[in-house]
Amino acid sequence: MAKKAGKGGKKDKKDQKGKDKKGKDKKGKDKKGKGIKGKKKVEVKPVVKEEPPPPPTPPPPAPAPVEVKVKIEEPCVFNCAQDKVTYRPNSYPGILLHPKTLAVVGSECGSYDSLCKLLHAGFRCADRVYTMVPWGNYVVFRSQDGDKYLYFVFDGCTCNVNRFRYLDLTCGTASLLYFEELHKAINYIITSRSRREELKNLKRSVVDDVCSEMYGTKHI
């Protein structure tokens, strides 16, 4: 019985040795396999040639300058607005194709009676009267509205007398003073004397002040 046990022990040792060899082979194989797997393949990347960037697009040409033509409005012609003259302070008078008659009167004293007689005489031959008085000149216009007369007075520069013959009051009456009666127009001409003298004195005082500052008290 003891011998059998010994034989069995030898077989067991042989089996263990075989197993160990197999295990070693497996381990070796595993190690080799691991070594093969661990090596990385070097990938060769193809060389790509970079194309040069396209040239920049030229800027669009500047637009040609547009010439703006200024339209010149033609002057108002006769009867451009209406057939009769009314008080229209927001519209300026137009220009007539043919001039109107303009009467000229002058008063040396500038009294109410003198102006009343002269204006009535002037309106007998024309509806526009150039009136001269010692303190200045005025232009008085008259227009008929039914049974009533309307009066307009121009109080300003009257150097160009001929232009008052071409004014068309049917287009507007701006820059003209409106009066319902000739009596009120004459009173305005008389009362405006003091205002004009004040303006003259004011201009003289301003001129004297400027001269005194520039040349002293011995200026001419």
Side-chain angles (χ1 to χ4, degrees):
M1 294 297 287
K3 288 180 181 179
K4 287 180 181 180
K7 288 180 181 179
K10 288 180 180 179
K11 286 181 181 180
D12 293 336
K13 288 180 181 179
K14 288 179 181 180
D15 293 337
Q16 286 178 358
K17 287 180 181 179
K19 287 180 181 179
D20 293 338
K21 287 180 181 180
K22 289 179 181 179
K24 286 180 181 178
D25 295 338
K26 287 180 181 178
K27 287 180 181 178
K29 287 180 182 179
D30 292 340
K31 288 179 181 179
K32 288 179 182 179
K34 286 181 180 179
I36 293 167
K37 288 181 180 179
K39 291 181 180 180
K40 294 182 180 179
K41 294 181 180 180
V42 179
E43 295 180 358
V44 180
K45 294 182 179 180
V47 179
V48 180
K49 293 183 179 180
E50 295 182 357
E51 296 181 358
T57 56
V66 180
E67 295 182 359
V68 180
K69 295 182 179 180
V70 180
K71 293 183 179 180
I72 301 174
E73 297 182 357
E74 296 182 357
C76 183
V77 189
F78 181 69
N79 288 340
C80 64
Q82 53 190 10
D83 294 334
K84 61 182 180 179
V85 177
T86 57
Y87 178 54
R88 301 178 63 194
N90 296 327
S91 300
Y92 284 95
I95 299 175
L96 296 171
L97 293 176
H98 304 287
K100 295 285 186 178
T101 304
L102 179 68
V104 180
V105 297
S107 174
E108 293 182 358
C109 60
S111 63
Y112 180 87
D113 294 336
S114 175
L115 287 173
C116 186
K117 291 178 181 178
L118 291 172
L119 287 173
H120 275 98
F123 283 131
R124 289 174 188 170
C125 59
D127 289 332
R128 304 168 186 219
V129 180
Y130 184 80
T131 308
M132 296 180 291
V133 289
W135 57 89
N137 302 327
Y138 303 84
V139 181
V140 184
F141 298 85
R142 184 185 68 175
S143 64
Q144 189 172 2
D145 184 11
D147 297 335
K148 295 172 61 178
Y149 283 104
L150 306 178
Y151 298 92
F152 301 92
V153 177
F154 178 80
D155 184 7
C157 179
T158 57
C159 297
N160 186 4
V161 181
N162 195 42
R163 70 189 177 102
F164 296 104
R165 301 176 62 197
Y166 287 89
L167 292 183
D168 183 10
L169 302 187
T170 59
C171 294
T173 58
S175 73
L176 300 177
L177 302 173
Y178 168 69
F179 299 96
E180 295 179 352
E181 299 175 358
L182 182 60
H183 162 72
K184 295 180 180 179
I186 295 172
N187 282 336
Y188 172 81
I189 293 173
I190 294 172
T191 55
S192 64
R193 178 176 185 175
S194 59
R195 184 174 59 84
R196 287 200 173 192
E197 289 179 353
E198 289 177 359
L199 291 174
K200 286 182 180 180
N201 294 331
L202 180 62
K203 290 180 181 178
R204 287 175 183 172
S205 63
V206 171
V207 172
D208 291 340
D209 293 340
V210 172
C211 292
S212 61
E213 289 180 3
M214 296 293 294
Y215 305 104
T217 56
K218 295 182 180 180
H219 67 277
I220 298 174

